[in-house]
Amino acid sequence: MSSTLLEVTRASHEEVERLERLVVKDLQTEPPTNKDRLYQSHRVRNMIEQIMDTSHKLVDIYEDKDNARKDEIAALGGQSSTSANVNVFSAFYDRLKEIREYHRRHPALRYVDTTDEYEHLLKEEPVIEFTGEGQWLMEKFLDYPNLKLFLEEDIPSSTLDVFLENLTCDLEAFGRYLDLHELYNEYINSKFGKQIEYSAYLDVFSDTRKISSKLKLTRQYRDYMQKLLEYLIYFFERTEPLQDLGRIFSKVVTEFEELWTSGLIQGSQNENHENGNDKQHEALIDLDYYSTLEQLMEVGPAKLKEALSALGLKTGGTVQQRAERLFLTKHTPLEKLDLKHFVKGSRRHEQNGGVTTQQPSEDAKEIALMEAKMKKMCDLLHETIVRTKENIEKKHALTYDEIVQEREEDEVQPESESDDEDQQIYNPLKLPMGWDGKPIPYWLYKLHGLGQEFKCEICGNHSYWGRRAYERHFKEWRHQHGMRCLGIPNTKNFNEITSIEEAKYLWEKIQVKQGLNKWRPDLEEEYEDQEGNIYNKKTYTDLQRQGLI
């Protein structure tokens, strides 16, 4: 009963034990499909979170910071912190009155048995968001008889582009594939990216070594990497809810700090660029994001002054003058700027190279840490990335009707497979299985002679059942590998030869026969003298040596 603190403690312990039994019972069931596996994992995750919340409440009760538990236990024995003498019977009847009042207010309160396992919780299907962009638009498109009526709707062009991009893909398909289309579009339209296909992007998005350190320090790359990491983490939490990402990332951070300190990570050491102002300039203000002078003025006078000071330029004047002076460096190198823009003694950027080296190092370290976490997530999702690429390549060759039909088959197939698994196959004669997963007829078994065994010594005494399989195996990889190990070419002359000794003997005979028919230049090569007489090479050289020719 929740009217007393001790009853709350007892009910909390009971709830924890009940949830633990439910977790064990749920995990003992093997889910037949990927969808059921996700439902099971999220159910278990939700129950574990409930156990943790209840356990935290129990810890607070046992710590008893307000002495409420201590007073309640004392009240059971007729004692009180306010008055020394309390009648035990009056305390008992007061508690009885509370119990009756509680049940009077809650007449429909259900009795909870200790053996009640909450079976409905094991059938619960948690809500998991796997809806990619354009999904609602794709469903809306199916309601229109043709594309003309669909395009007459007032739909934003950006949304329509996403729809056309995702029309032939399965999006996340309930955790089977990644949906990186938004990040892909950001990649190909950035300075650090390339114009490549989406399938090729799935191969290179996890490899950041080819991107220069200069481009990595830009705000555009930072935003892209942050979005990519957030998506991978969000996807992993939905597909693997029982994994502890906090523990995984803590290990990644520890290893990263060691490598960063030793200088084994790209960007951990200051790099000298040909244009020396790159590092400090990008750490303060990235001019690539400002196309006009008015946009640069919105940064503010303080930020403009810091950027000008880092470059060795004059920092005085109004906000517009400072912005104009800094905007000159967007397309003009410092070496080509007029001397009047520089502070005395700071004509060259190299003279100010050590002014702001701390900030680029911190930015580079932050970006490198995000890259390390992203690579770890890609390692954990390697199978999903490969599956996504294979799916994209397959979908490019299918029409929309074929895609819809394939999705329907995927939904129906797990149900039929689970029904077939429930039926036990009766096969007392140990007949081979056919294409439908059932034993083949006995008359077909006898017709093909599948009860006859053929052994091949060249294949490592491997057994082949049936004449057809035996004749076919002479062209298969196992027999070809065995012949290659013997140093014998696998030609038609060696068909039906399964013994190693017979194969060697036949190969020796073939070599001897080929030696008789071999081209012999001493006897078959012809020469002609001045009188027109024809000799073979041996006779001609003998006569020439004797001086007769």
Side-chain angles (χ1 to χ4, degrees):
M1 187 184 66
S2 60
S3 61
T4 63
L5 192 61
L6 292 178
E7 178 61 24
V8 172
T9 305
R10 186 206 62 78
S12 299
H13 280 292
E14 182 183 1
E15 184 69 15
V16 169
E17 292 179 2
R18 184 180 296 110
L19 290 172
E20 288 176 350
R21 290 197 299 269
L22 283 173
V23 169
V24 173
K25 189 171 183 179
D26 202 354
L27 292 177
Q28 286 177 344
T29 305
E30 187 68 24
T33 63
N34 179 63
K35 188 175 182 179
D36 294 333
R37 184 190 67 82
L38 283 177
Y39 282 151
Q40 183 191 70
S41 299
H42 279 272
R43 280 197 305 268
V44 172
R45 176 68 178 181
N46 293 337
M47 287 187 283
I48 291 176
E49 290 179 352
Q50 293 180 26
I51 292 174
M52 294 174 64
D53 293 339
T54 307
S55 300
H56 288 313
K57 293 178 181 178
L58 285 171
V59 171
D60 294 337
I61 292 174
Y62 283 119
E63 287 180 354
D64 198 15
K65 295 180 180 179
D66 56 355
N67 293 326
R69 182 171 178 270
K70 182 178 179 182
D71 294 342
E72 190 169 330
I73 294 175
L76 293 176
Q79 301 176 1
S80 176
S81 59
T82 57
S83 59
N85 298 322
V86 177
N87 191 352
V88 177
F89 294 101
S90 62
F92 170 77
Y93 284 111
D94 290 340
R95 184 61 58 88
L96 180 62
K97 183 179 179 181
E98 290 180 6
I99 295 174
R100 287 176 175 174
E101 182 66 20
Y102 178 82
H103 284 282
R104 187 186 65 79
R105 291 196 307 266
H106 305 89
L109 190 65
R110 189 175 75 88
Y111 168 71
V112 180
D113 189 6
T114 55
T115 60
D116 192 354
E117 293 290 348
Y118 284 82
E119 294 293 338
H120 66 280
L121 292 177
L122 299 179
K123 299 179 181 179
E124 180 185 0
E125 295 184 356
V127 178
I128 311 173
E129 296 182 359
F130 280 113
T131 55
E133 294 184 71
Q135 180 68 24
W136 67 270
L137 196 59
M138 192 176 299
E139 296 174 354
K140 186 177 181 181
F141 171 73
L142 297 178
D143 297 333
Y144 287 82
N146 53 54
L147 184 62
K148 183 178 179 181
L149 295 176
F150 174 71
L151 296 177
E152 289 178 357
E153 288 284 330
D154 187 13
I155 299 172
S157 58
S158 59
T159 309
L160 186 60
D161 293 339
V162 173
F163 164 70
L164 296 175
E165 178 71 22
N166 295 333
L167 184 60
T168 58
C169 70
D170 280 334
L171 301 178
E172 292 180 343
F174 223 83
R176 287 188 296 173
Y177 312 120
L178 292 171
D179 182 18
L180 298 173
H181 287 86
E182 181 180 354
L183 294 164
Y184 162 71
N185 291 329
E186 188 173 342
Y187 176 83
I188 62 176
N189 293 314
S190 63
K191 291 188 175 182
F192 55 84
K194 299 178 182 178
Q195 295 293 330
I196 56 178
E197 296 291 336
Y198 181 64
S199 57
Y201 171 73
L202 294 173
D203 289 331
V204 302
F205 82 93
S206 60
D207 187 7
T208 60
R209 293 174 297 179
K210 297 181 181 179
I211 302 176
S212 64
S213 301
K214 173 184 174 182
L215 295 175
K216 287 184 178 181
L217 292 175
T218 60
R219 186 170 61 185
Q220 186 181 26
Y221 181 79
R222 179 198 296 269
D223 296 341
Y224 163 79
M225 185 56 59
Q226 188 172 3
K227 291 179 183 177
L228 178 59
L229 181 60
E230 289 176 355
Y231 173 77
L232 293 177
I233 292 175
Y234 180 53
F235 182 86
F236 187 78
E237 288 176 346
R238 287 177 292 164
T239 55
E240 299 292 339
L242 298 180
Q243 293 285 347
D244 189 359
L245 267 181
R247 182 179 299 177
I248 295 174
F249 279 159
S250 63
K251 185 177 180 181
V252 172
V253 172
T254 304
E255 295 176 354
F256 172 80
E257 291 293 343
E258 296 177 358
L259 295 175
W260 181 268
T261 305
S262 59
L264 299 178
I265 297 179
Q266 181 183 5
S268 59
Q269 299 178 352
N270 293 331
E271 299 178 3
N272 295 323
H273 300 282
E274 294 181 1
N275 189 1
N277 71 328
D278 288 341
K279 202 167 194 179
Q280 297 177 359
H281 171 67
E282 291 170 0
L284 297 174
I285 295 179
D286 187 4
L287 294 179
D288 294 336
Y289 284 89
Y290 305 98
S291 56
T292 61
L293 188 63
E294 289 74 14
Q295 295 177 356
L296 186 59
M297 291 172 60
E298 296 177 357
V299 174
K303 195 70 174 177
L304 291 172
K305 184 176 181 180
E306 292 179 4
L308 291 171
S309 177
L311 297 175
L313 299 174
K314 293 181 179 179
T315 59
T318 63
V319 177
Q320 183 177 358
Q321 291 174 345
R322 294 179 185 179
E324 290 175 352
R325 198 176 301 124
L326 182 61
F327 202 72
L328 290 174
T329 62
K330 182 175 182 180
H331 302 292
T332 307
L334 289 178
E335 290 80 5
K336 296 183 180 181
L337 284 178
D338 193 355
L339 185 62
K340 65 180 181 179
H341 298 297
F342 289 88
V343 182
K344 283 187 178 182
S346 300
R347 175 68 176 86
R348 297 286 183 182
H349 174 64
E350 289 78 3
Q351 297 174 359
N352 300 283
V355 176
T356 56
T357 56
Q358 179 95 14
Q359 183 69 23
S361 178
E362 292 178 356
D363 291 345
K365 182 177 180 180
E366 183 181 354
I367 293 174
L369 180 58
M370 284 193 293
E371 291 177 349
K373 292 181 178 179
M374 183 270 296
K375 291 177 181 177
K376 182 62 177 179
M377 296 303 304
C378 291
D379 293 339
L380 297 174
L381 296 171
H382 175 70
E383 295 182 1
T384 307
I385 296 173
V386 174
R387 196 184 307 122
T388 303
K389 183 182 177 183
E390 293 176 352
N391 179 66
I392 292 297
E393 293 175 350
K394 182 179 69 174
K395 294 303 179 185
H396 285 168
L398 298 179
T399 62
Y400 182 74
D401 294 334
E402 292 173 340
I403 295 174
V404 174
Q405 182 179 0
E406 187 179 82
R407 287 179 182 173
E408 294 175 354
E409 292 176 354
D410 291 341
E411 294 177 357
V412 175
Q413 185 176 2
E415 299 178 1
S416 61
E417 288 180 354
S418 59
D419 294 340
D420 294 340
E421 290 176 357
D422 296 338
Q423 300 177 359
Q424 294 183 356
I425 299 176
Y426 182 69
N427 187 14
L429 298 178
K430 307 295 182 182
L431 299 176
M433 297 296 173
W435 60 271
D436 56 353
K438 298 179 180 179
I440 64 174
Y442 185 72
W443 64 266
L444 187 63
Y445 174 80
K446 297 293 289 184
L447 178 65
H448 289 287
L450 298 180
Q452 188 177 5
E453 181 183 10
F454 296 89
K455 282 193 175 183
C456 180
E457 187 180 1
I458 298 175
C459 297
N461 290 325
H462 188 77
S463 298
Y464 298 93
W465 297 91
R467 183 71 189 179
R468 183 180 180 184
Y470 171 71
E471 292 177 353
R472 186 186 301 172
H473 98 278
F474 289 104
K475 297 181 181 179
E476 293 178 350
W477 66 270
R478 192 190 303 272
H479 192 85
Q480 291 178 355
H481 177 70
M483 296 291 286
R484 197 179 301 114
C485 293
L486 296 175
I488 302 175
N490 190 25
T491 60
K492 293 182 178 180
N493 297 326
F494 294 91
N495 280 1
E496 304 291 334
I497 302 296
T498 59
S499 173
I500 296 178
E501 294 183 0
E502 292 179 0
K504 289 182 178 180
Y505 177 72
L506 180 58
W507 175 236
E508 291 176 358
K509 289 183 64 176
I510 292 175
Q511 285 181 321
V512 172
K513 186 176 180 180
Q514 288 178 348
L516 296 176
N517 298 328
K518 191 177 180 181
W519 164 259
R520 292 173 293 178
D522 293 342
L523 300 178
E524 298 180 4
E525 191 174 358
E526 295 181 346
Y527 287 81
E528 183 179 358
D529 58 5
Q530 295 179 354
E531 298 178 356
N533 299 319
I534 303 298
Y535 307 97
N536 57 35
K537 182 179 180 180
K538 183 178 180 182
T539 305
Y540 181 82
T541 54
D542 290 343
L543 294 175
Q544 190 179 29
R545 204 177 288 116
Q546 296 174 10
L548 300 177
I549 297 179

